[in-house]
Amino acid sequence: MLVVEDDPAIGSELVEALASNGYQAVLATTGGEALERVRDGVPDLVLLDLGLPDIDGVTVCRRLRTTLPFTVIVVLTARSQEFEVVVALDAGADDYLTKPFRLTELLARLRAHLRRQTSPQEERSLSVGLLRLDLPARRAYVAGEELALRPKEFDLLAALASHAGEVVTREQLMDDVWDANWFGPTKTLDVHVFALRRKLTEHGEDPQRITTLRGRGYRYEIDV
């Protein structure tokens, strides 16, 4: 695990707390150092503070996502930076925590993400219209062209497509894609749906393929 925090004292405390709970973590105090660290090894998860002294945190997130397509990225943001959360999620982050946060909440989030990351996929493929999902390989195709999806985007698309034509509630999606014991807001779900719509449309799908049912959830349409 990689902790990217510009305050050495806070970063060291996080690393020690993670170690005491069974996680191996290393600290980087700048964006440049974080990018160097991932060249030496691929972490399962990155805790990324957005307020870095050398490189904008969102830029670091985007570069990390390019280098680490399957690593979970959780951004840490001060309340004054909340406007950056949606941008960071769109840049590749899987989740965020607003400072100050409780260690118990952080650990619960990490367990949820890592559990979802390692849970086995049922060995089958799924096709709906132009979309085909290879679940064991975690690859998605539209009209034969592969989509570049982040881990949570793939999980969300699979959850929607597996119930094509049916309403999938927000609560069910949070349970299936993130975790039944999820802590925190569900804004990340909306951002991931927005990203999926954009990527599907860019590959020739109808922009109305994923329908929003306000106050209820989403539906992956069979016919549009």
Side-chain angles (χ1 to χ4, degrees):
M1 189 177 301
L2 175 63
V3 176
V4 188
E5 166 61 60
D6 68 317
D7 187 318
I10 295 175
S12 296
E13 288 179 3
L14 274 174
V15 168
E16 290 177 8
L18 291 169
S20 66
N21 283 273
Y23 297 101
Q24 291 184 332
V26 294
L27 175 64
T29 56
T30 66
E33 185 182 355
L35 296 173
E36 286 292 331
R37 288 275 191 181
V38 299
R39 294 190 180 99
D40 299 329
V42 178
D44 293 326
L45 188 144
V46 177
L47 284 178
L48 173 63
D49 182 14
L50 289 182
L52 299 174
D54 58 337
I55 307 174
D56 174 70
V58 172
T59 299
V60 174
C61 180
R62 187 175 291 111
R63 292 182 185 177
L64 287 173
R65 176 53 68 211
T66 300
T67 306
L68 309 171
F70 302 111
T71 294
V72 175
I73 300 176
V74 178
V75 297
L76 307 178
T77 175
R79 293 193 182 278
S80 60
Q81 298 170 315
E82 283 190 324
F83 69 95
E84 295 181 332
V85 167
V86 172
V87 179
L89 290 171
D90 198 41
D94 296 288
D95 190 16
Y96 72 96
L97 273 172
T98 302
K99 298 178 180 179
F101 52 82
R102 294 171 297 170
L103 180 61
T104 52
E105 180 180 2
L106 171 63
L107 293 174
R109 296 278 191 99
L110 300 190
R111 286 193 297 270
H113 282 296
L114 294 174
R115 185 161 54 245
R116 293 298 306 173
Q117 186 185 47
T118 57
S119 61
Q121 288 285 338
E122 186 178 350
E123 292 193 4
R124 62 186 178 90
S125 296
L126 177 64
S127 297
V128 183
L130 298 177
L131 175 69
R132 182 175 70 83
L133 297 179
D134 183 341
L135 297 178
R138 296 181 59 81
R139 304 178 80 169
Y141 304 85
V142 171
E145 186 175 353
E146 186 169 5
L147 302 179
L149 298 181
R150 293 182 276 129
K152 291 300 180 187
E153 290 174 350
F154 181 89
D155 292 338
L156 178 58
L157 183 57
L160 289 169
S162 65
H163 296 281
E166 303 174 12
V167 177
V168 187
T169 66
R170 296 179 65 86
E171 293 78 12
Q172 183 177 345
L173 288 171
M174 292 304 299
D175 288 353
D176 291 348
V177 178
W178 281 267
D179 189 79
N181 299 310
W182 181 255
F183 284 80
T186 61
K187 183 188 300 182
T188 184
L189 170 60
D190 303 308
V191 173
H192 280 70
V193 169
F194 178 82
L196 276 182
R197 282 197 182 112
R198 186 185 69 241
K199 291 181 180 182
L200 288 167
T201 302
E202 288 173 350
H203 286 75
E205 261 294 6
D206 192 292
Q208 301 303 315
R209 181 64 70 178
I210 300 177
T211 300
T212 301
L213 291 97
R214 191 173 301 277
R216 296 185 63 193
Y218 296 95
R219 180 173 58 225
Y220 196 92
E221 302 290 356
I222 298 176
D223 298 308
V224 291

